Amino acid sequence: RSLVTTLQEAFEALQATVPPAEIESFAGLVHTSMSGPGRFYHRTAHVFDLFKSAKEEPTTALAALFHDIVYVQIDGILSCVRGVLEPFIVQKEKSNQVAETSDKHVQLVNHFFGFKPGQDLPPFGGQNEYLSCLVAVLKLRPYLSMEYLVAIIIAIEATVPFRGVGQDGLTWMERARKRYE
């Protein structure tokens, strides 16, 4: 499979009209982001293991393609995504924080991830998935309905690893269910 073909198939399945140059740009972004020298597991080959067919599972395929494009501990925030993310995060010396915003798409991502403006992004508690999701939503929003974007947000948020019972006594799935309602 190729990134371009997968993107084309997903957009066709969603009846989204995306210019070929934009599809190639998305494929280049995914490839560049996931091909760094420190990447061993979270590389482009990994994304194809996460879905059967872009035609049959288009939002899952898009979520899979974008879910690991930001990996701060390995790559930092790469120049290919920095411009997209800069308005929505505050980079501190040792952390990244959620910025205040009136952008409804970013607010939706914040809601589903349970992050609030001013909050430090936890390095091992969703930072990479959150930032990857922001890039996905901001890049895809000109072409996809809110319904499809929400499906992608939920799928990417579900990839945050190693979550147990929180201080509120709820599992991550119980907390997520409350946010989704």
Side-chain angles (χ1 to χ4, degrees), residues 114-176:
F115 293 149
K116 307 252 185 275
Q119 178 179 348
D120 283 341
L121 292 171
F124 299 101
Q127 171 178 250
N128 297 324
E129 295 79 8
Y130 170 78
L131 296 173
S132 295
C133 190
L134 278 181
V135 174
V137 167
L138 294 168
K139 290 289 191 177
L140 298 175
R141 71 180 173 183
Y143 309 105
L144 299 181
S145 69
M146 190 64 81
E147 174 187 352
Y148 294 142
L149 292 172
V150 167
I152 291 166
I153 293 167
I154 291 169
I156 294 175
E157 195 277 339
T159 67
V160 177
F162 313 118
R163 296 184 281 186
V165 175
Q167 294 176 347
D168 57 6
L170 300 175
T171 66
W172 76 269
M173 184 57 87
E174 291 165 333
R175 282 191 303 281

Side-chain angles (χ1 to χ4, degrees), residues 39 66-78 81 85 88-99 109-110 112-116 118-136 156-163:
R39 295 287 187 113
F66 281 90
H67 85 283
D68 275 332
I69 61 172
V70 178
Y71 201 151
V72 175
Q73 296 86 339
I74 301 292
D75 307 317
I77 296 182
L78 297 170
V81 297
L85 293 172
F88 307 108
I89 60 167
V90 177
Q91 290 187 280
K92 301 284 186 174
E93 186 176 321
K94 295 185 179 186
S95 68
N96 294 302
Q97 288 182 340
V98 178
V109 174
N110 291 347
F112 281 110
F113 274 79
F115 293 149
K116 307 252 185 275
Q119 178 179 348
D120 283 341
L121 292 171
F124 299 101
Q127 171 178 250
N128 297 324
E129 295 79 8
Y130 170 78
L131 296 173
S132 295
C133 190
L134 278 181
V135 174
I156 294 175
E157 195 277 339
T159 67
V160 177
F162 313 118
R163 296 184 281 186

